[in-house]
Amino acid sequence: MKKFAIALAATTALALSAGTATAARWMPIVERTALFEDRIESGLRSGELTPEDARALRTDMNALVSLEGRFRMNGLTANEKLDLDRRFAALHDRVAMMRTAGPRWLDRDGLWIPVEARKAELDRRIERGIASGDLTETEAERLRDEFDDIAEAEAAFRVDGFTAAEQADLDRRFNRLAAQIRWERRDSDREFGLSRY
């Protein structure tokens, strides 16, 4: 994994410097697919990527390879190489974001659980925190407001259908909120400073 990250970073650095006169040989996108595929397979094995994530990423990589093929029909220009490098870097960043989003919210069938469907469990946790004295009313209100912000983002994403990256973004925000609830329930706003959970 570490070797792959170093190789990919070196490849990207070389590719981005392709426009200069002294740059090393530019690596075609089609030659980068093996490295990209290794990264997807690693994410699938670790559980950081779902099969749906992998399909979406492979589709985008295939589209990029096709674009390179169209560019090559009339000879690949420096600007086209730069465009391909930027697109590849964006795809690379998307994989990184998806793999660091934290736990995915999937049901038993492997389908993504919408944020709104998680609201009842979040409300239960907040209510338990209030009842136990681990959360103040002010903290609870702020946590609910943050959940509403995530739900609004979900509604905006839903308008034209969710992408895997948008689902990963919502999961990351929700995981951060869940961690914040745990932290708030353990902070020093309580009378005795001890959490029951």
Side-chain angles (χ1 to χ4, degrees):
M1 180 70 176
K2 192 172 185 180
K3 286 182 190 175
F4 173 73
I6 292 169
L8 191 56
T11 299
T12 303
L14 288 174
L16 291 175
S17 65
T20 64
T22 60
R25 176 180 139 340
W26 182 77
M27 180 183 276
I29 298 298
V30 72
E31 291 180 20
R32 302 180 205 185
T33 56
L35 293 172
F36 193 75
E37 184 60 31
D38 287 346
R39 194 147 189 239
I40 290 173
E41 286 299 321
S42 175
L44 285 167
R45 282 191 303 275
S46 69
E48 295 169 313
L49 294 176
T50 67
E52 180 184 294
D53 295 335
R55 275 191 300 276
L57 291 166
R58 287 174 176 138
T59 297
D60 290 346
M61 186 63 178
N62 290 338
L64 192 53
V65 169
S66 294
L67 178 63
E68 179 183 23
R70 287 193 303 278
F71 283 167
R72 284 186 179 280
M73 290 175 72
N74 296 322
L76 203 55
T77 68
N79 283 339
E80 288 169 336
K81 287 179 181 180
L82 187 59
D83 182 38
L84 290 168
D85 287 338
R86 285 184 185 139
R87 291 172 191 250
F88 182 78
L91 191 54
H92 174 268
D93 290 347
R94 196 168 119 217
V95 176
M97 182 200 68
M98 292 168 79
R99 291 189 65 180
T100 60
R104 296 299 312 269
W105 289 81
L106 306 174
D107 65 15
R108 291 182 181 179
D109 297 323
L111 300 174
W112 186 73
I113 302 170
V115 171
E116 269 303 320
R118 307 174 204 177
K119 184 170 177 39
E121 176 58 27
L122 190 79
D123 283 338
R124 277 195 293 276
R125 291 178 62 194
I126 290 172
E127 290 303 321
R128 281 196 309 260
I130 291 170
S132 67
D134 292 340
L135 287 176
T136 66
E137 288 290 342
T138 303
E139 289 171 330
E141 185 177 339
R142 187 171 15 67
L143 292 166
R144 287 188 177 115
D145 287 345
E146 289 181 31
F147 177 83
D148 290 342
D149 291 343
I150 298 169
E152 284 177 23
E154 179 183 37
F157 290 153
R158 187 182 299 278
V159 170
D160 55 356
F162 289 113
T163 65
E166 288 168 341
Q167 289 176 351
D169 179 49
L170 291 168
D171 284 342
R172 186 175 54 256
R173 292 186 201 192
F174 190 84
N175 291 335
R176 220 175 8 237
L177 179 59
Q180 189 174 352
I181 291 172
R182 285 192 298 275
W183 183 83
E184 294 279 7
R185 292 185 67 181
R186 293 184 176 103
D187 71 6
S188 60
D189 289 347
R190 297 179 322 254
E191 185 177 345
F192 301 106
L194 297 173
S195 174
R196 297 180 189 180
Y197 301 99

